[in-house]
Amino acid sequence: MSDITDHWSSPPDRTVHGGFGRCDITILLPPFDVDARSLPVNDPLRARELVRSFGTVEDVVEELGARGANEVPYPVERTDLDVVLAGAWGNVLGISDPALADDGNDEPLRYEVGRLRERFPDARIFGRVAFDCGDSHTEDLVSLPDGTLFHASGWPGTDPWEVTGDPYEVAAALGITGRMLADADVDLDAEPEEVEWGAFVSLALGDADPWPWAETRVGAFRVRHTEAYTRRMEELFLPDV
């Protein structure tokens, strides 16, 4: 597997600094009334194709088998950054990729969801990314087929934030009530840096969220990321390279 290191400047066993809580995108195709706990089994061929065609990935190098969707690997060594999880469960698609991590300079989640929007114009697309490098940076997004978009990117507890769209429009479109927001401790009237936007996206996904469940199986793939995304990950996770 020597070709996996083509774009890296550091060896596979180099210790990673920082990590991520989540780096997932979920694509919900019609019909939208879905319960993730009763999804069909993962289609490994469709899952592989989702990974292979994803904008961060240059090639799939190895299939690592199935695991629970909630078993997102926390990176310890550089080689862990090349592991992507993906599932295709009927009309629900999901991918988790550390290349989506960001420190506020590039907004890769928004960029890749824009690409997916072109491929899946009828889908609801949801993304949640949390990168920890001592402090945490989050990027969260909801994109609906009618053009409604909400995107928030920043450092929780710290100003300024990049915010696009109106979360109340998303809430109204998806039937998120004030009681649901309160129960999730999400105050949309608070300053952006004080809102738990990942929890808001989880509310937007609702019962269709595949990622909390061990029973929802995904495929794990070792990939070669593109040169540009490899360089970004090296800057984020291996900053002294």
Side-chain angles (χ1 to χ4, degrees), residues 155-228:
W155 303 86
T158 303
D159 206 26
W161 270 63
E162 294 293 330
V163 176
T164 301
D166 184 348
Y168 281 106
E169 289 186 10
V170 171
L174 299 181
I176 300 172
T177 66
R179 173 60 64 87
M180 294 165 66
L181 290 166
D183 288 346
D185 199 24
V186 176
D187 181 4
L188 297 182
D189 292 324
E191 294 300 318
E193 66 269 19
E194 301 300 332
V195 180
E196 179 55 64
W197 293 116
F200 177 67
V201 174
S202 296
L203 280 177
L205 253 174
D207 290 339
D209 190 353
W211 296 104
W213 310 108
E215 296 82 3
T216 304
R217 307 299 285 177
V218 297
F221 303 86
R222 187 170 301 282
V223 306
R224 179 168 58 248
H225 286 98
T226 67
E227 184 175 4

Side-chain angles (χ1 to χ4, degrees), residues 17-20 23 98-109 129-139 151-156 158 160-162 229 231-239:
H17 299 284
F20 55 90
C23 289
L100 294 171
D102 188 40
D103 59 0
N105 290 323
D106 295 300
E107 297 182 348
L109 175 65
V129 176
F131 169 63
D132 182 8
C133 57
D135 292 325
S136 294
H137 182 276
T138 63
E139 187 181 2
H151 172 260
S153 175
W155 303 86
T158 303
W161 270 63
E162 294 293 330
Y229 273 103
R231 186 166 58 250
R232 286 190 66 261
M233 286 194 290
E234 209 145 39
E235 293 171 354
L236 288 173
F237 294 100
L238 306 162

